[in-house]
Amino acid sequence: GENVEQHPSTLSVQEGDSAVIKCTYSDSASNYFPWYKQELGKGPQLIIDIRSNVGEKKDQRIAVTLNKTAKHFSLHITETQPEDSAVYFCAASTGTGGFKTIFGAGTRLFVKA
Amino acid sequence: EAQVTQNPRYLITVTGKKLTVTCSQNMNHEYMSWYRQDPGLGLRQIYYSMNVEVTDKGDVPEGYKVSRKEKRNFPLILESPSPNQTSLYFCASSQTSENEQFFGPGTRLTVL
């Protein structure tokens, strides 16, 4: 079946450094790629998303890039802060004719002060 | 306040005893989904709905049922729960298939 691979599963960085999380998807019909942050005991919350007709999007310290040819998208967090510590999930959605959403397995990010 | 609510938040039950987890959203969203979250596997989509009376299978639908009789509600039904359905369940809603999904707080289910 279709899947989304996410790497790394754990990432530890020093406060102020950058963090990069990478995802690869298999369904070429995927056209929406959100990133969610999940804090302990809560449901996931959207932090940034990108659509298939866009290659890059930035929102303050967070950016996402998409390479549709390679079926690859990445999350970049700059100037990391301790409050960025959480689990991050990428996802790929196929909206045409349905609403299938496949999530990556998650990346646990630790930001050390 | 715009939100997705789920009930119950915690449930311990026994094999074979039918149960329903309710989900309700107050944002007038068309799309709703159920996910289960297991360690190392991320979130896996169980069922989704694109509108009232329109539902379809996600990646892991076996052992689950859903219904969408009203726009705001999307209950998840386990007719005969088994221990492998022990998991953390999330309901989510969104306006379209290419918009943010808003997640509920989760329901932790244990089947003994």
Side-chain angles (χ1 to χ4, degrees):
Chain A
E2 308 297 350
N3 74 313
V4 173
E5 290 189 6
Q6 182 172 347
H7 299 281
S9 57
T10 305
L11 179 59
S12 185
V13 300
Q14 204 67 37
E15 182 178 3
D17 287 351
S18 294
V20 180
I21 302 170
K22 299 182 179 184
C23 289
T24 303
Y25 62 97
S26 61
D27 187 355
S28 55
S30 297
N31 55 5
Y32 176 61
F33 306 91
W35 286 87
Y36 290 87
K37 176 183 181 182
Q38 186 178 29
E39 296 176 338
L40 199 61
K42 297 184 178 181
Q45 278 196 296
L46 184 82
I47 55 170
I48 195 166
D49 57 12
I50 191 166
R51 290 168 179 78
S52 59
N53 58 348
V54 176
E56 186 173 352
K57 183 176 177 180
K58 188 173 181 180
D59 183 2
Q60 298 182 337
R61 296 186 297 111
I62 296 172
V64 58
T65 59
L66 171 65
N67 182 331
K68 281 221 78 179
T69 303
K71 295 182 188 171
H72 174 93
F73 58 116
S74 299
L75 176 72
H76 304 252
I77 306 174
T78 59
E79 300 170 27
T80 53
Q81 301 164 4
E83 50 265 39
D84 293 329
S85 296
V87 179
Y88 292 82
F89 292 98
C90 63
S93 274
T94 307
T96 306
F99 187 37
K100 286 210 167 178
T101 302
I102 308 289
F103 279 79
T107 295
R108 186 172 294 278
L109 174 64
F110 296 96
V111 180
K112 295 176 285 187
Chain B
E1 181 193 353
Q3 60 182 351
V4 177
T5 56
Q6 295 178 227
N7 282 291
R9 294 289 314 278
Y10 303 90
L11 179 60
I12 300 174
T13 189
V14 294
T15 299
K17 187 176 181 182
K18 180 180 179 179
L19 67 91
T20 299
V21 184
T22 64
C23 172
S24 184
Q25 50 96 3
N26 62 0
M27 295 168 278
N28 200 38
H29 284 167
E30 303 278 337
Y31 292 76
M32 298 185 76
S33 276
W34 274 103
Y35 296 91
R36 60 178 288 173
Q37 183 174 19
D38 302 289
L41 296 177
L43 292 99
R44 292 180 292 167
Q45 193 176 38
I46 302 170
Y47 269 94
Y48 63 86
S49 170
M50 295 190 287
N51 211 329
V52 175
E53 303 292 3
V54 180
T55 63
D56 205 349
K57 296 176 182 178
D59 251 7
V60 289
E62 296 78 19
Y64 304 95
K65 283 175 59 176
V66 292
S67 68
R68 187 93 181 272
K69 294 185 172 60
E70 309 163 278
K71 199 171 188 179
R72 63 183 295 127
N73 296 324
F74 190 44
L76 179 70
I77 302 154
L78 284 73
E79 295 268 3
S80 183
S82 62
N84 64 11
Q85 292 178 299
T86 292
S87 187
L88 179 59
Y89 291 86
F90 287 101
C91 179
S93 74
S94 65
Q95 185 54 48
T96 73
S97 61
E98 295 184 23
N99 279 107
E100 172 181 9
Q101 290 191 61
F102 291 84
F103 285 81
T107 295
R108 187 165 291 282
L109 172 66
T110 301
V111 183
L112 302 174

